[in-house]
Amino acid sequence: MRLVLDAMGGDHAPEAPVRGALLFAREHPEHEVVLVGAPARLGACLAREGGAPGNVHPYPATEVVEMEEDAFAAIRRKKDSSLRVGFELVRRGEAQALVSAGHSGAVMAGALLLLGRLPGVERPAIATLLPTLKGPGHCLLLDSGANVECRPVHLAQWAVLGGAYMRALLGIERPRVAVLSNGEEPSKGTALTREASALLRRSDLRFTGYVEGRSLFSGDVEVVVTDGFTGNVVLKTTEGAAAGVTGLLRSAIERGGLPLKLGALLLRPIFAGLKTRLDYAEVGGAPLLGIEGVGIVAHGRSSPRAIQQALVAALRNAEAGVRAELTRCIAQAASWLPVRQRGGTRGWKGSSREPGGLRR
Amino acid sequence: MRLVLDAMGGDHAPEAPVRGALLFAREHPEHEVVLVGAPARLGACLAREGGAPGNVHPYPATEVVEMEEDAFAAIRRKKDSSLRVGFELVRRGEAQALVSAGHSGAVMAGALLLLGRLPGVERPAIATLLPTLKGPGHCLLLDSGANVECRPVHLAQWAVLGGAYMRALLGIERPRVAVLSNGEEPSKGTALTREASALLRRSDLRFTGYVEGRSLFSGDVEVVVTDGFTGNVVLKTTEGAAAGVTGLLRSAIERGGLPLKLGALLLRPIFAGLKTRLDYAEVGGAPLLGIEGVGIVAHGRSSPRAIQQALVAALRNAEAGVRAELTRCIAQAASWLPVRQRGGTRGWKGSSREPGGLRR
């Protein structure tokens, strides 16, 4: 498989992407990584790391999509940006997936404009796999940031996509699906959550109704759908809470006396396990579900290890079964979920106006 | 001071409220608690605890507002509910504050209909004090669940109320105030967050712009405003994440061998400190900011300890300085924040239609 990595995306680019690509490439000699970015900077990075192995290919792109840019405008205007050049490679079939730790709205814009959507999908979503903290499971949260304004039909479609994804990727036969809300009673929620629930009650999914935020970690459900604003806030809150708890422990131990330091030494294997379970770097990246092709959004602060894991995620997402299961389930859902296909992209993160669609 | 406790509110009522009231009453012999609820059940609970001390007064109410009821309808119809009877005591000046672990929407409805709003306040909010996890501070999150649908002016008013509260309660002279969003760039957010930010940029508050969820724990800001849907989801997510992390640690230690158990023993003081810092029971309850009088929303799953702490919170909120600072700041904000006073309560949690206002 050949994977494209946007080497200019992320807070620590191009160093972290380059080093992450090398970590991945050494572990997976049977696959290839195309590093897209400014030739001089990539060359300098690679030289510092002792050069590129045979399965890592630098590929030139002179522009970069900046974080504060309008996503759709940037993809349209910056024809030689690392992101657009990367997506062109996937579109032409010269690579099977793209990974970027850059502007997530622009990754979505690039995927939409250059790859398009799966048949029947109205809006793609960013799907983040969270570790459940009771037991060994995972919970898929979508949308975690692409669609700030959305309609009930979008949440219902994400429930379908999320269920199909958990089945294809993790082999969960009948994933439980829920709508995130401010209480479990059906009277709670907003117009959006109530109407999405009404749609899902008519579905053939294993829909369990509303869940509160704590169910993301409890193992009660495998798929949770919400609007991209709430999803993104929830994700950052989780990160902050987990980092805060481990930080509190660490500083208390550092300030403490010898018995505490001995205790910490004895518990080191447990702390290491906890770190692995909580670390976003281990999850790697979140796929855009519903696009034609594979796009992985990595964390903006991705370390080399996080980039490596995002490339692993890209591999798994590019396997044939995932797309087949997503399209099968979306087609099957047409019986209870009438979707009007619209060309517009209004409301996607980073875009404040209706784009006309890219002329190819 | 005399405090009313809704003895029928919460998952563990009336046992937990009764025991919480006794814990509080023994520690604060100079204050009184009025326990409102079903006489026979209160009597039985008190008898099991060895009777009521002189500063705990049972007070009869035969009805209970149930969790699935419409908040405003229930308060209006159930004239002898523990919640309504309790608020009537506060309204008549026979008590200075009310605490309830019951239907939080109904606590808001009761406060609005029976006590009313502070001059100039359009919508009260539930304000939750979160422990920051870097350093010893706190961050106030509002609204944490009362107002599911809201307008920019509400968020701006809550910023004023929240700042005033942190100054009055914790002595923070110029609290930093922010709007919760899905990214720090001004282009992020929804129409609600963007318009609220535009209002706040014109204010005399120390407004820092957008923050992401992780800033709730970082100590970067003291007040964070958001709509009640997002606030509630964030709060439950935080609870779930914190409980999950401590649960992971506990189960790993239980499954482990002798060195791990010894390590855990040595670290016990740190774990105890962490538990205290994360436990919602220690925070006690969240005040309704913007009502005329003091109403404290305690957690639905409140333990006796949580009820005790909620009564302590009620005491602190009932002190004269808090109301004075809130009204002063709201009046002062009129120069940059024009508010149209409206009688309606549409969009408050638990209410699906416009109530006419309670005839007194």
Side-chain angles (χ1 to χ4, degrees), chain A residues 67-68 133 145 148-149 180-183 185 187-191 193-194 212-214 216-217 226-230 232-234 236-242 244-245 248-249 252-253 259-260 262-264 266-267 269-271 274 277-278 299 301 349, chain B residues 67-68 133 145 148-149 180-183 185 187-191 193-194 212-214 216-217 226-230 232-234 236-242 244-245 248-249 252-253 259-260 262-264 266-267 269-271 274 277-278 299 301 349:
Chain A
M67 286 306 287
E68 55 283 353
L133 298 177
V148 167
E149 325 261 352
L180 189 61
S181 185
N182 61 331
E185 303 84 1
S187 62
K188 294 291 174 69
T190 60
T193 64
R194 279 191 294 271
E212 299 185 332
R214 69 172 77 88
L216 290 167
F217 315 105
T226 188
D227 66 275
F229 179 83
T230 307
N232 194 274
V233 166
V234 156
K236 306 281 176 65
T237 300
T238 303
E239 251 182 59
V245 169
L248 270 185
L249 279 176
I253 289 166
L260 288 187
L262 175 61
L266 290 167
L267 288 187
I270 284 183
F271 288 139
L274 185 69
R277 190 126 186 93
L278 294 178
H299 199 296
R301 290 180 293 157
K349 186 168 117 184
Chain B
M67 287 306 288
E68 54 285 351
L133 298 177
V148 167
E149 323 263 353
L180 188 61
S181 185
N182 60 331
E185 302 85 0
S187 62
K188 294 291 174 72
T190 61
T193 63
R194 280 191 293 269
E212 299 185 332
R214 69 172 75 91
L216 291 167
F217 315 104
T226 186
D227 66 276
F229 178 83
T230 307
N232 194 273
V233 167
V234 157
K236 306 281 176 65
T237 300
T238 304
E239 253 181 59
V245 170
L248 269 186
L249 279 176
I253 289 166
L260 289 186
L262 175 62
L266 291 167
L267 287 187
I270 283 182
F271 288 140
L274 185 69
R277 191 126 184 95
L278 294 179
H299 198 295
R301 289 180 293 156
K349 184 168 118 183

Side-chain angles (χ1 to χ4, degrees), chain A residues 22-359:
Chain A
L22 296 178
L23 288 174
F24 174 86
R26 277 182 210 119
E27 256 195 6
H28 298 272
E30 73 282 20
H31 299 298
E32 296 171 77
V33 181
V34 181
L35 270 177
V36 184
R41 295 190 64 192
L42 290 191
C45 272
L46 285 168
R48 269 197 301 277
E49 302 294 327
N55 58 341
V56 171
H57 314 290
Y59 194 97
T62 56
E63 293 176 296
V64 176
V65 174
E66 305 291 348
M67 286 306 287
E68 55 283 353
E69 283 188 271
D70 178 276
F72 283 91
I75 289 291
R76 255 193 242 98
R77 217 173 20 223
K78 292 189 162 171
K79 296 207 166 28
D80 203 39
S81 62
S82 54
L83 207 46
R84 173 141 180 189
V85 168
F87 272 120
E88 298 275 11
L89 287 169
V90 177
R91 183 159 76 93
R92 292 199 302 265
E94 294 173 32
Q96 283 70 52
L98 177 140
V99 170
S100 176
H103 191 319
S104 62
V107 181
M108 178 60 93
L112 281 167
L113 296 174
L114 291 152
L115 306 182
R117 290 167 285 175
L118 286 179
V121 170
E122 197 166 323
R123 288 247 193 127
I126 300 179
T128 307
L129 207 54
L130 295 167
T132 54
L133 298 177
K134 285 184 191 162
H138 283 88
C139 180
L140 191 73
L141 176 70
L142 64 175
D143 176 20
S144 20
N147 306 273
V148 167
E149 325 261 352
C150 32
R151 290 185 299 118
V153 67
H154 302 143
L155 267 65
Q157 276 209 333
W158 299 337
V160 175
L161 290 171
Y165 185 74
M166 291 301 265
R167 191 159 40 248
L169 202 77
L170 299 181
I172 301 169
E173 202 41 55
R174 292 265 295 156
R176 287 161 298 180
V177 174
V179 170
L180 189 61
S181 185
N182 61 331
E184 291 177 356
E185 303 84 1
S187 62
K188 294 291 174 69
T190 60
L192 176 69
T193 64
R194 279 191 294 271
E195 288 169 36
S197 294
L199 288 172
L200 286 165
R201 270 193 294 273
R202 297 206 309 259
S203 78
D204 52 1
L205 300 175
R206 194 168 162 200
F207 177 58
T208 66
Y210 282 162
V211 289
E212 299 185 332
R214 69 172 77 88
S215 296
L216 290 167
F217 315 105
S218 65
D220 299 335
V221 288
E222 282 81 30
V223 177
V224 171
V225 294
T226 188
D227 66 275
F229 179 83
T230 307
N232 194 274
V233 166
V234 156
L235 211 59
K236 306 281 176 65
T237 300
T238 303
E239 251 182 59
V245 169
T246 50
L248 270 185
L249 279 176
R250 191 180 313 116
S251 71
I253 289 166
E254 279 167 7
R255 281 197 316 272
L258 204 59
L260 288 187
K261 293 204 164 57
L262 175 61
L265 202 65
L266 290 167
L267 288 187
R268 189 184 273 174
I270 284 183
F271 288 139
L274 185 69
K275 186 172 181 303
T276 307
R277 190 126 186 93
L278 294 178
D279 196 352
Y280 73 88
E282 297 304 315
V283 178
L288 302 176
L289 284 194
I291 62 167
E292 187 62 87
V294 177
I296 302 283
V297 173
H299 199 296
R301 290 180 293 157
S302 282
S303 61
R305 168 73 181 166
I307 294 287
Q308 176 191 14
Q309 292 296 88
L311 288 163
V312 172
L315 262 192
R316 298 182 66 190
N317 274 272
E319 276 158 17
V322 177
R323 183 190 182 283
E325 187 61 16
L326 293 175
T327 45
R328 185 184 74 80
C329 290
I330 281 289
Q332 191 180 305
S335 63
W336 58 271
L337 188 65
V339 172
R340 57 188 162 126
Q341 280 274 6
R342 302 192 307 177
T345 47
R346 187 194 295 277
W348 268 307
K349 186 168 117 184
S351 169
S352 54
R353 61 217 168 76
E354 187 86 16
L358 195 71
R359 307 258 178 272

